[in-house]
């Protein structure tokens, strides 16, 4: 997490919105085999108190996670910021980015909880892509579905700490911020430029 308090989200619900929108995280933990990270789709609970995910049984984290404290990191759009985009002299290049960290103890899910997680995950993302009718596991042979779920393990991280960084040039004057947003947009990172401008408008009305 960046130490500058200007890069903290003002809206309390913003980190959860990013987690739900991006829905993919790196899961980090120390293990007897050394530090490990796994990458997985995630489901944030409605009250933003827990984060569920599943891993292959062969993943280096799977056999260790139950009962451990882990760190989940969801990363949003990011882009290089050229010092040449600033009107002011004596600037240096930097990087704008969004990163949401969630820390907490992890427990293993039982089979019913794992299936519920998979149903929720597919329902949410089928709705996003707009397939009609959406895919559901009812389209699968139950024996094949059971075989495939037997190859993964579900987990739930109970979130005891959120640490969020939205580094979007908040430390710059509005004109400099727009110059950076324009440069980022021109370099092919329109989503990040949009977020910079949106954050700037919210700052004006705060």
């Amino acid at each position: 997490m960046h130490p500058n308090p200007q890069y903290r989200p003002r809206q309390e619900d913003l980190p959860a919105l990013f987690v739900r929108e991006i829905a993919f995280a790196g899961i980090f933990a120390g293990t007897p085999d050394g530090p490990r990270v796994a990458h997985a789709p995630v489901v944030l609970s409605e009250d933003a108190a827990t984060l569920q995910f599943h891993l292959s049984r062969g993943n280096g984290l799977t056999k260790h996670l139950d009962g451990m404290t882990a760190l989940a990191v969801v990363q949003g759009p990011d882009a290089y910021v050229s010092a040449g985009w600033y009107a002011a002299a004596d600037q240096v290049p930097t990087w704008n980015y969004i990163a949401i960290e969630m820390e907490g103890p992890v427990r293993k899910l039982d089979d019913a909880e794992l299936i519920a997680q998979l149903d929720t995950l597919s329902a949410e993302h089928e709705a996003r892509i707009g397939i009609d009718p959406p895919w559901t596991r009812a389209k699968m042979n139950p024996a094949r579905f059971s075989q495939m779920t037997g190859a993964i393990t579900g987990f739930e991280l109970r979130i005891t700490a959120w640490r969020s960084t939205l580094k979007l040039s908040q430390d710059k004057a509005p004109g400099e911020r727009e110059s950076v947003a324009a440069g980022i947009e021109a370099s092919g990172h329109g989503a990040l430029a949009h977020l910079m401008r949106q954050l700037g408008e919210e700052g004006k009305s705060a």
Side-chain angles (χ1 to χ4, degrees):
M1 184 176 71
H2 198 288
N4 190 335
Q6 287 183 286
Y7 302 145
R8 305 289 170 267
R10 294 184 180 183
Q11 306 97 314
E12 291 185 1
D13 62 341
L14 198 55
L17 288 174
F18 277 117
V19 171
R20 291 192 174 98
E21 178 64 24
I22 297 165
F24 195 80
I27 314 296
F28 299 81
T31 79
D33 302 324
R36 294 288 184 271
V37 58
H39 307 277
V42 295
V43 177
L44 184 66
S45 63
E46 189 172 339
D47 61 0
T50 62
L51 189 76
Q52 290 194 355
F53 56 95
H54 60 273
L55 304 177
S56 164
R57 288 188 181 273
N59 189 284
L61 271 180
T62 302
K63 64 182 179 181
H64 300 296
L65 267 181
D66 190 25
M68 294 186 68
T69 294
L71 179 69
V73 180
V74 171
Q75 292 185 290
D78 67 275
Y80 172 78
V81 176
S82 170
W85 293 337
Y86 299 114
D90 299 323
Q91 301 292 315
V92 295
T94 186
W95 212 276
N96 277 3
Y97 66 93
I98 291 171
I100 313 296
E101 301 176 8
M102 296 154 284
E103 181 180 342
V106 177
R107 71 175 182 90
K108 181 180 175 181
L109 301 180
D110 63 29
D111 291 344
E113 290 173 314
L114 171 60
I115 291 172
Q117 178 200 141
L118 298 175
D119 285 345
T120 298
L121 190 64
S122 61
E124 288 181 355
H125 292 279
E126 289 289 318
R128 285 189 186 191
I129 62 177
I131 291 181
D132 186 19
W135 180 91
T136 70
R137 61 185 169 91
K139 297 184 177 183
M140 289 189 69
N141 180 303
R144 176 60 174 160
F145 180 78
S146 179
Q147 180 185 27
M148 295 187 76
T149 55
I152 60 176
T153 302
F155 295 98
E156 180 179 89
L157 185 153
R158 180 171 57 83
I159 304 171
T160 57
W162 288 80
R163 292 185 288 273
S164 306
T165 299
L166 277 63
K167 185 176 179 293
L168 301 173
S169 300
Q170 296 97 315
D171 58 330
K172 304 300 181 185
E176 296 280 40
R177 282 172 53 82
E178 175 51 34
S179 178
V180 171
I184 285 176
E185 187 171 42
S187 67
H189 299 276
L192 189 65
H194 173 74
L195 288 169
M196 288 182 64
R197 291 173 175 135
Q198 187 176 44
L199 190 69
E201 289 301 314
E202 289 170 354
K204 291 177 187 176
S205 61

